[in-house]
Amino acid sequence: MREVFDIAIHDISVDFLRMQSLTLEQISKIRSGLASGSLTGLHSKIKTLDLEVDRIEIELESACLTAIARHQPMAKDLRFFLLILKSLTDLERVGDYAVHIAADLEELSGDLKPSARGDVLPMLSRLADMLERMSYAYTEQDLKAAELVRQMDDDIDSLYEQLQRSSLTRILEDPRSLSSSLKINRMARSLERLGDHIVNIAKRIGYWETGQ
């Protein structure tokens, strides 16, 4: 019976990692598109990945609920399922924000100044680092790595504030940039919130390990 349960946990874990990988791919494609200036069709590419994220979310929720009903896990095993179930929503939101960001970037492609690109790219790079570190913390059950993810989010907050100041400067220097600057601020807000969802998962990894 335990062997069947362990197989269920393994399969769920594999799919959860796949979901993380897809969101990292979304962020990486956005970062690459912005860095190269190749933004045409970006929204469609990110949306396709998001549909896969959504599909896995539905399947994982069903698999977790079935395993809980059949095996009635306790202690750390139960915390594993709580980690997965609660984190599905966070990863799904990461995917959704990626779609919104890609749409904004594609819409802005003709009006995106180099200075604005320079403000956004560091946020995307840091978020990709956070996702990679979070996946490592989950795979290795590494509490220090999970804590590092939480610390890295402070960088996102600082970069977000820096971007807001830069946008205001651009508006003051050229009032015609008001519309594009507001869109960039909206996109940056999505990036900041995306980081918060990654942190939520990192915190749950700690709870999974310690029960605290």
Short mmCIF file of all heavy atoms in Angstrom, two decimals, residues 120-166:
data_model
loop_
_atom_site.label_atom_id
_atom_site.label_comp_id
_atom_site.label_asym_id
_atom_site.label_seq_id
_atom_site.Cartn_x
_atom_site.Cartn_y
_atom_site.Cartn_z
N VAL A 120 13.19 47.01 -17.18
CA VAL A 120 12.38 45.79 -17.06
C VAL A 120 13.24 44.52 -17.05
O VAL A 120 12.96 43.57 -16.33
CB VAL A 120 11.33 45.72 -18.19
CG1 VAL A 120 10.57 44.40 -18.14
CG2 VAL A 120 10.36 46.90 -18.09
N LEU A 121 14.30 44.50 -17.85
CA LEU A 121 15.11 43.29 -17.99
C LEU A 121 15.67 42.77 -16.66
O LEU A 121 15.63 41.55 -16.42
CB LEU A 121 16.25 43.53 -18.99
CG LEU A 121 15.91 43.35 -20.46
CD1 LEU A 121 17.05 43.81 -21.35
CD2 LEU A 121 15.56 41.89 -20.76
N PRO A 122 16.17 43.63 -15.78
CA PRO A 122 16.67 43.10 -14.50
C PRO A 122 15.59 42.42 -13.66
O PRO A 122 15.87 41.43 -12.97
CB PRO A 122 17.22 44.35 -13.79
CG PRO A 122 17.54 45.30 -14.89
CD PRO A 122 16.48 45.07 -15.92
N MET A 123 14.37 42.93 -13.73
CA MET A 123 13.28 42.29 -12.99
C MET A 123 13.01 40.90 -13.54
O MET A 123 12.84 39.93 -12.79
CB MET A 123 12.01 43.14 -13.08
CG MET A 123 12.07 44.46 -12.33
SD MET A 123 10.48 45.32 -12.28
CE MET A 123 9.60 44.34 -11.05
N LEU A 124 12.99 40.77 -14.87
CA LEU A 124 12.75 39.47 -15.49
C LEU A 124 13.86 38.48 -15.15
O LEU A 124 13.61 37.31 -14.86
CB LEU A 124 12.63 39.64 -17.01
CG LEU A 124 11.34 40.30 -17.50
CD1 LEU A 124 11.50 40.73 -18.96
CD2 LEU A 124 10.17 39.33 -17.38
N SER A 125 15.10 38.96 -15.18
CA SER A 125 16.23 38.09 -14.86
C SER A 125 16.17 37.61 -13.41
O SER A 125 16.41 36.43 -13.11
CB SER A 125 17.55 38.82 -15.10
OG SER A 125 17.72 39.13 -16.47
N ARG A 126 15.83 38.52 -12.51
CA ARG A 126 15.76 38.15 -11.11
C ARG A 126 14.62 37.18 -10.84
O ARG A 126 14.76 36.24 -10.04
CB ARG A 126 15.57 39.41 -10.25
CG ARG A 126 16.01 39.25 -8.79
CD ARG A 126 17.44 38.79 -8.71
NE ARG A 126 17.96 38.83 -7.33
CZ ARG A 126 19.04 38.17 -6.96
NH1 ARG A 126 19.71 37.43 -7.82
NH2 ARG A 126 19.48 38.25 -5.71
N LEU A 127 13.50 37.37 -11.52
CA LEU A 127 12.37 36.45 -11.35
C LEU A 127 12.71 35.06 -11.88
O LEU A 127 12.31 34.05 -11.27
CB LEU A 127 11.13 37.00 -12.06
CG LEU A 127 10.46 38.19 -11.38
CD1 LEU A 127 9.46 38.86 -12.32
CD2 LEU A 127 9.78 37.76 -10.08
N ALA A 128 13.43 35.00 -12.98
CA ALA A 128 13.87 33.70 -13.50
C ALA A 128 14.79 33.02 -12.48
O ALA A 128 14.67 31.81 -12.23
CB ALA A 128 14.59 33.88 -14.83
N ASP A 129 15.68 33.80 -11.87
CA ASP A 129 16.56 33.25 -10.83
C ASP A 129 15.73 32.73 -9.64
O ASP A 129 16.05 31.68 -9.07
CB ASP A 129 17.52 34.33 -10.33
CG ASP A 129 18.57 34.70 -11.37
OD1 ASP A 129 18.75 33.94 -12.33
OD2 ASP A 129 19.18 35.78 -11.22
N MET A 130 14.71 33.47 -9.26
CA MET A 130 13.86 33.06 -8.14
C MET A 130 13.14 31.75 -8.43
O MET A 130 13.06 30.87 -7.58
CB MET A 130 12.83 34.15 -7.82
CG MET A 130 13.41 35.38 -7.14
SD MET A 130 12.19 36.71 -6.93
CE MET A 130 11.07 35.94 -5.73
N LEU A 131 12.64 31.62 -9.66
CA LEU A 131 11.96 30.38 -10.03
C LEU A 131 12.91 29.20 -10.02
O LEU A 131 12.56 28.10 -9.54
CB LEU A 131 11.33 30.53 -11.42
CG LEU A 131 9.97 31.23 -11.47
CD1 LEU A 131 9.63 31.62 -12.91
CD2 LEU A 131 8.88 30.33 -10.90
N GLU A 132 14.12 29.40 -10.52
CA GLU A 132 15.11 28.32 -10.53
C GLU A 132 15.49 27.92 -9.10
O GLU A 132 15.60 26.73 -8.78
CB GLU A 132 16.35 28.77 -11.31
CG GLU A 132 16.12 28.87 -12.81
CD GLU A 132 17.37 29.32 -13.54
OE1 GLU A 132 18.28 29.88 -12.89
OE2 GLU A 132 17.44 29.10 -14.77
N ARG A 133 15.68 28.93 -8.25
CA ARG A 133 16.05 28.65 -6.87
C ARG A 133 14.92 27.98 -6.12
O ARG A 133 15.13 27.08 -5.30
CB ARG A 133 16.46 29.95 -6.18
CG ARG A 133 16.91 29.80 -4.73
CD ARG A 133 18.14 28.92 -4.61
NE ARG A 133 19.26 29.42 -5.39
CZ ARG A 133 20.45 28.84 -5.42
NH1 ARG A 133 20.66 27.73 -4.71
NH2 ARG A 133 21.43 29.33 -6.15
N MET A 134 13.70 28.39 -6.40
CA MET A 134 12.53 27.78 -5.76
C MET A 134 12.40 26.31 -6.17
O MET A 134 12.11 25.44 -5.34
CB MET A 134 11.26 28.55 -6.12
CG MET A 134 9.99 28.08 -5.42
SD MET A 134 9.09 26.88 -6.41
CE MET A 134 8.47 27.93 -7.72
N SER A 135 12.62 26.01 -7.44
CA SER A 135 12.56 24.62 -7.90
C SER A 135 13.65 23.78 -7.23
O SER A 135 13.42 22.62 -6.86
CB SER A 135 12.72 24.56 -9.43
OG SER A 135 11.60 25.13 -10.07
N TYR A 136 14.82 24.36 -7.07
CA TYR A 136 15.91 23.66 -6.39
C TYR A 136 15.52 23.39 -4.93
O TYR A 136 15.74 22.29 -4.41
CB TYR A 136 17.19 24.48 -6.46
CG TYR A 136 18.33 23.89 -5.67
CD1 TYR A 136 19.13 22.90 -6.22
CD2 TYR A 136 18.60 24.32 -4.36
CE1 TYR A 136 20.18 22.34 -5.49
CE2 TYR A 136 19.64 23.77 -3.63
CZ TYR A 136 20.42 22.78 -4.19
OH TYR A 136 21.45 22.23 -3.46
N ALA A 137 14.97 24.41 -4.27
CA ALA A 137 14.57 24.25 -2.87
C ALA A 137 13.54 23.15 -2.72
O ALA A 137 13.59 22.36 -1.77
CB ALA A 137 14.00 25.57 -2.34
N TYR A 138 12.62 23.08 -3.67
CA TYR A 138 11.59 22.03 -3.63
C TYR A 138 12.20 20.65 -3.86
O TYR A 138 11.96 19.71 -3.09
CB TYR A 138 10.51 22.31 -4.67
CG TYR A 138 9.54 21.17 -4.84
CD1 TYR A 138 8.54 20.92 -3.90
CD2 TYR A 138 9.65 20.30 -5.93
CE1 TYR A 138 7.67 19.86 -4.04
CE2 TYR A 138 8.78 19.24 -6.08
CZ TYR A 138 7.80 19.02 -5.13
OH TYR A 138 6.94 17.96 -5.27
N THR A 139 13.01 20.53 -4.90
CA THR A 139 13.58 19.23 -5.27
C THR A 139 14.49 18.69 -4.17
O THR A 139 14.44 17.50 -3.83
CB THR A 139 14.37 19.35 -6.58
OG1 THR A 139 13.51 19.84 -7.61
CG2 THR A 139 14.93 18.00 -7.00
N GLU A 140 15.31 19.56 -3.61
CA GLU A 140 16.28 19.15 -2.61
C GLU A 140 15.77 19.30 -1.18
O GLU A 140 16.49 18.95 -0.23
CB GLU A 140 17.58 19.97 -2.77
CG GLU A 140 18.23 19.83 -4.13
CD GLU A 140 18.67 18.41 -4.41
OE1 GLU A 140 19.08 17.70 -3.45
OE2 GLU A 140 18.62 18.00 -5.59
N GLN A 141 14.56 19.85 -1.03
CA GLN A 141 13.98 20.14 0.29
C GLN A 141 14.99 20.96 1.10
O GLN A 141 15.29 20.65 2.26
CB GLN A 141 13.61 18.83 1.00
CG GLN A 141 12.57 18.02 0.22
CD GLN A 141 12.17 16.73 0.90
OE1 GLN A 141 12.09 16.68 2.12
NE2 GLN A 141 11.92 15.68 0.12
N ASP A 142 15.47 22.00 0.46
CA ASP A 142 16.54 22.84 1.00
C ASP A 142 15.94 24.10 1.61
O ASP A 142 15.49 25.00 0.88
CB ASP A 142 17.52 23.19 -0.12
CG ASP A 142 18.77 23.87 0.38
OD1 ASP A 142 18.67 24.71 1.29
OD2 ASP A 142 19.86 23.57 -0.16
N LEU A 143 15.95 24.20 2.92
CA LEU A 143 15.35 25.35 3.60
C LEU A 143 16.13 26.63 3.35
O LEU A 143 15.54 27.71 3.27
CB LEU A 143 15.26 25.07 5.10
CG LEU A 143 14.33 23.92 5.52
CD1 LEU A 143 14.31 23.80 7.04
CD2 LEU A 143 12.93 24.14 4.99
N LYS A 144 17.45 26.53 3.25
CA LYS A 144 18.25 27.72 2.99
C LYS A 144 17.94 28.30 1.62
O LYS A 144 17.87 29.52 1.45
CB LYS A 144 19.74 27.39 3.11
CG LYS A 144 20.19 27.11 4.54
CD LYS A 144 21.69 26.88 4.61
CE LYS A 144 22.15 26.63 6.05
NZ LYS A 144 23.61 26.39 6.12
N ALA A 145 17.75 27.43 0.64
CA ALA A 145 17.41 27.90 -0.70
C ALA A 145 16.03 28.55 -0.71
O ALA A 145 15.81 29.56 -1.39
CB ALA A 145 17.45 26.73 -1.70
N ALA A 146 15.10 27.97 0.05
CA ALA A 146 13.76 28.55 0.14
C ALA A 146 13.81 29.93 0.77
O ALA A 146 13.13 30.86 0.33
CB ALA A 146 12.85 27.63 0.94
N GLU A 147 14.64 30.08 1.80
CA GLU A 147 14.79 31.38 2.45
C GLU A 147 15.44 32.38 1.50
O GLU A 147 15.09 33.57 1.50
CB GLU A 147 15.62 31.24 3.72
CG GLU A 147 15.89 32.54 4.46
CD GLU A 147 14.64 33.28 4.87
OE1 GLU A 147 13.61 32.64 5.14
OE2 GLU A 147 14.68 34.54 4.92
N LEU A 148 16.36 31.92 0.68
CA LEU A 148 17.03 32.80 -0.28
C LEU A 148 16.02 33.37 -1.27
O LEU A 148 16.14 34.54 -1.68
CB LEU A 148 18.14 32.05 -1.01
CG LEU A 148 18.93 32.85 -2.04
CD1 LEU A 148 19.61 34.05 -1.39
CD2 LEU A 148 19.98 31.97 -2.72
N VAL A 149 15.05 32.56 -1.66
CA VAL A 149 14.00 33.04 -2.57
C VAL A 149 13.28 34.24 -1.96
O VAL A 149 13.01 35.24 -2.62
CB VAL A 149 13.00 31.92 -2.90
CG1 VAL A 149 11.81 32.47 -3.69
CG2 VAL A 149 13.68 30.81 -3.69
N ARG A 150 12.98 34.13 -0.68
CA ARG A 150 12.29 35.21 0.01
C ARG A 150 13.15 36.47 0.05
O ARG A 150 12.66 37.59 -0.11
CB ARG A 150 11.91 34.78 1.42
CG ARG A 150 10.95 33.59 1.43
CD ARG A 150 10.82 32.93 2.79
NE ARG A 150 10.17 33.79 3.77
CZ ARG A 150 9.85 33.40 4.99
NH1 ARG A 150 10.12 32.16 5.39
NH2 ARG A 150 9.27 34.23 5.82
N GLN A 151 14.45 36.30 0.22
CA GLN A 151 15.36 37.44 0.24
C GLN A 151 15.49 38.07 -1.14
O GLN A 151 15.58 39.30 -1.27
CB GLN A 151 16.73 37.00 0.75
CG GLN A 151 16.73 36.53 2.20
CD GLN A 151 18.06 35.95 2.63
OE1 GLN A 151 19.07 36.07 1.94
NE2 GLN A 151 18.08 35.29 3.79
N MET A 152 15.49 37.22 -2.17
CA MET A 152 15.62 37.73 -3.54
C MET A 152 14.43 38.60 -3.93
O MET A 152 14.54 39.50 -4.76
CB MET A 152 15.75 36.56 -4.52
CG MET A 152 17.04 35.78 -4.38
SD MET A 152 17.02 34.19 -5.26
CE MET A 152 17.21 34.74 -6.95
N ASP A 153 13.29 38.35 -3.31
CA ASP A 153 12.11 39.16 -3.61
C ASP A 153 12.31 40.61 -3.19
O ASP A 153 11.67 41.51 -3.75
CB ASP A 153 10.88 38.57 -2.93
CG ASP A 153 9.59 39.22 -3.40
OD1 ASP A 153 9.37 39.29 -4.62
OD2 ASP A 153 8.80 39.68 -2.54
N ASP A 154 13.17 40.86 -2.22
CA ASP A 154 13.48 42.24 -1.84
C ASP A 154 14.10 42.99 -3.02
O ASP A 154 13.86 44.20 -3.20
CB ASP A 154 14.43 42.26 -0.64
CG ASP A 154 13.78 41.75 0.64
OD1 ASP A 154 12.53 41.77 0.71
OD2 ASP A 154 14.52 41.32 1.54
N ASP A 155 14.89 42.27 -3.82
CA ASP A 155 15.48 42.89 -5.01
C ASP A 155 14.39 43.28 -6.00
O ASP A 155 14.47 44.34 -6.64
CB ASP A 155 16.46 41.92 -5.69
CG ASP A 155 17.66 41.61 -4.81
OD1 ASP A 155 17.96 42.40 -3.90
OD2 ASP A 155 18.30 40.56 -5.04
N ILE A 156 13.39 42.42 -6.14
CA ILE A 156 12.28 42.73 -7.05
C ILE A 156 11.56 43.99 -6.60
O ILE A 156 11.23 44.87 -7.42
CB ILE A 156 11.29 41.54 -7.13
CG1 ILE A 156 11.97 40.31 -7.74
CG2 ILE A 156 10.06 41.93 -7.94
CD1 ILE A 156 12.42 40.50 -9.17
N ASP A 157 11.33 44.10 -5.31
CA ASP A 157 10.66 45.29 -4.79
C ASP A 157 11.48 46.55 -5.06
O ASP A 157 10.93 47.59 -5.44
CB ASP A 157 10.42 45.14 -3.28
CG ASP A 157 9.41 44.04 -2.95
OD1 ASP A 157 8.63 43.67 -3.84
OD2 ASP A 157 9.43 43.54 -1.81
N SER A 158 12.79 46.45 -4.88
CA SER A 158 13.66 47.60 -5.14
C SER A 158 13.68 47.97 -6.61
O SER A 158 13.63 49.16 -6.97
CB SER A 158 15.09 47.29 -4.66
OG SER A 158 15.13 47.09 -3.27
N LEU A 159 13.74 46.97 -7.47
CA LEU A 159 13.73 47.22 -8.91
C LEU A 159 12.41 47.83 -9.36
O LEU A 159 12.37 48.68 -10.25
CB LEU A 159 14.01 45.92 -9.68
CG LEU A 159 15.44 45.38 -9.58
CD1 LEU A 159 15.50 43.95 -10.11
CD2 LEU A 159 16.39 46.28 -10.36
N TYR A 160 11.33 47.39 -8.74
CA TYR A 160 10.01 47.94 -9.05
C TYR A 160 9.95 49.42 -8.69
O TYR A 160 9.47 50.25 -9.49
CB TYR A 160 8.93 47.16 -8.30
CG TYR A 160 7.53 47.73 -8.42
CD1 TYR A 160 6.93 47.88 -9.66
CD2 TYR A 160 6.82 48.10 -7.29
CE1 TYR A 160 5.65 48.40 -9.77
CE2 TYR A 160 5.54 48.61 -7.38
CZ TYR A 160 4.96 48.76 -8.63
OH TYR A 160 3.69 49.28 -8.73
N GLU A 161 10.44 49.78 -7.53
CA GLU A 161 10.45 51.18 -7.11
C GLU A 161 11.35 52.01 -8.03
O GLU A 161 11.01 53.15 -8.39
CB GLU A 161 10.92 51.29 -5.66
CG GLU A 161 9.95 50.69 -4.66
CD GLU A 161 10.51 50.67 -3.25
OE1 GLU A 161 11.64 51.17 -3.07
OE2 GLU A 161 9.82 50.17 -2.34
N GLN A 162 12.47 51.44 -8.43
CA GLN A 162 13.38 52.13 -9.34
C GLN A 162 12.71 52.38 -10.68
O GLN A 162 12.85 53.47 -11.27
CB GLN A 162 14.64 51.29 -9.53
CG GLN A 162 15.66 51.87 -10.52
CD GLN A 162 16.85 50.95 -10.68
OE1 GLN A 162 17.35 50.39 -9.72
NE2 GLN A 162 17.30 50.78 -11.91
N LEU A 163 11.98 51.39 -11.17
CA LEU A 163 11.29 51.54 -12.45
C LEU A 163 10.22 52.62 -12.38
O LEU A 163 10.06 53.41 -13.32
CB LEU A 163 10.67 50.20 -12.87
CG LEU A 163 10.05 50.16 -14.27
CD1 LEU A 163 10.20 48.76 -14.86
CD2 LEU A 163 8.57 50.54 -14.25
N GLN A 164 9.50 52.68 -11.28
CA GLN A 164 8.48 53.72 -11.11
C GLN A 164 9.11 55.12 -11.18
O GLN A 164 8.56 56.02 -11.82
CB GLN A 164 7.76 53.54 -9.79
CG GLN A 164 6.77 52.39 -9.76
CD GLN A 164 6.01 52.33 -8.45
OE1 GLN A 164 6.60 52.34 -7.38
NE2 GLN A 164 4.70 52.29 -8.54
N ARG A 165 10.26 55.28 -10.53
CA ARG A 165 10.93 56.57 -10.56
C ARG A 165 11.40 56.91 -11.98
O ARG A 165 11.29 58.06 -12.43
CB ARG A 165 12.13 56.56 -9.60
CG ARG A 165 11.72 56.52 -8.12
CD ARG A 165 12.91 56.84 -7.22
NE ARG A 165 13.96 55.84 -7.34
CZ ARG A 165 14.04 54.75 -6.58
NH1 ARG A 165 13.12 54.52 -5.65
NH2 ARG A 165 15.03 53.90 -6.72
N SER A 166 11.92 55.91 -12.67
CA SER A 166 12.39 56.14 -14.04
C SER A 166 11.23 56.51 -14.96
O SER A 166 11.37 57.39 -15.83
CB SER A 166 13.09 54.88 -14.58
OG SER A 166 14.24 54.57 -13.83
#
